[in-house]
Amino acid sequence: ISNDINDLGINFRTHYHAINAEASYRIINPTKRFNSLNFFVNADSEFENKTGRVQLFNTNLSLNTTDKLNDYYGVGTRIRPLKVYDFYEALSPDDTEYLTIPENIDFWFFFSSNYNRRFALDFNPTLSFFNETDRTQIGVFISPRYRLHDRYSLISEFDFSRPHSNIGNTIEVRG
């Protein structure tokens, strides 16, 4: 259990307590197929101190590996089985209503080719499903890199995210 752990600078998230648990398994020595292999599971939860409502609650599962060519592969999922509240995005001028994020599940895959090669590529597609009618989100991150020589590289990034049936927020201000 932890209390407001960000005490070294500007605090953007305050007034909460957290409970976390994690476990992992990894191979120490390379096998015939893998230089490294790691399985990770964790559960995170945060509770807002004033209301006691959940502001974060999820479980993550991931499998990460590096093959014999030193290419990296990762696959995982994040499960949020409860509605959570974003207390840092108030929906009312008097801060009494907050953004509610519905239950959801995310899937992701990550590939990163060996950076020792002249051309390398990072690729990360994501897919999210929400517990609301027809609400989803897809995303993709692509980053090709080309090493001109040992001192200069060209790196480009493309990051795309598309929510479907997302719920927006408008506040009418009367003056």
Side-chain angles (χ1 to χ4, degrees), residues 49 69 83 88 116 124 130 135 137 139 141 144 150 152 163 175:
N49 287 339
L69 299 174
K83 283 184 186 177
Y88 310 101
N116 291 329
N124 176 214
F130 293 83
R135 184 173 174 188
Q137 182 167 335
F141 173 80
D150 289 341
Y152 295 102

Side-chain angles (χ1 to χ4, degrees), residues 74-90:
V75 63
T77 186
R78 180 183 64 196
I79 302 164
R80 290 184 177 161
L82 301 175
K83 283 184 186 177
V84 296
Y85 300 92
D86 187 345
F87 293 98
Y88 310 101
E89 187 170 340

Side-chain angles (χ1 to χ4, degrees), residues 65-112:
T65 184
T66 305
D67 66 14
K68 287 297 190 176
L69 299 174
N70 282 330
D71 292 329
Y72 172 86
Y73 300 88
V75 63
T77 186
R78 180 183 64 196
I79 302 164
R80 290 184 177 161
L82 301 175
K83 283 184 186 177
V84 296
Y85 300 92
D86 187 345
F87 293 98
Y88 310 101
E89 187 170 340
L91 296 180
S92 61
D94 61 353
D95 291 339
T96 58
E97 295 179 44
Y98 305 96
L99 179 66
T100 302
I101 303 168
E103 304 89 341
N104 60 70
I105 185 167
D106 305 324
F107 300 98
W108 58 270
F109 171 77
F110 192 85
F111 168 77
S112 182

Side-chain angles (χ1 to χ4, degrees), residues 101-166:
I101 303 168
E103 304 89 341
N104 60 70
I105 185 167
D106 305 324
F107 300 98
W108 58 270
F109 171 77
F110 192 85
F111 168 77
S112 182
S113 62
N114 185 346
Y115 288 179
N116 291 329
R117 297 184 191 127
R118 196 168 279 285
F119 176 78
L121 178 70
D122 291 344
F123 175 66
N124 176 214
T126 60
L127 180 60
S128 302
F129 298 98
F130 293 83
N131 189 19
E132 290 181 350
T133 304
D134 210 24
R135 184 173 174 188
T136 59
Q137 182 167 335
I138 60 168
V140 66
F141 173 80
I142 300 171
S143 179
R145 56 181 61 221
Y146 184 75
R147 184 170 36 91
L148 299 170
H149 54 76
D150 289 341
R151 294 185 185 205
Y152 295 102
S153 295
L154 296 174
I155 302 170
S156 177
E157 292 182 356
F158 172 76
D159 197 356
F160 173 80
S161 179
R162 174 147 188 150
H164 183 264
S165 297
N166 199 12

Side-chain angles (χ1 to χ4, degrees), residues 7-27:
D7 63 355
L8 299 177
I10 299 172
N11 291 327
F12 292 109
R13 298 181 62 194
T14 58
H15 307 295
Y16 71 92
H17 59 280
I19 299 172
N20 308 318
E22 58 186 55
S24 64
Y25 170 81
R26 68 182 177 121
I27 61 170

Side-chain angles (χ1 to χ4, degrees), residues 33-45:
R33 294 185 183 168
F34 303 114
N35 284 336
S36 69
L37 179 69
N38 158 327
F39 177 74
F40 182 78
V41 60
N42 77 310
D44 295 317
S45 60

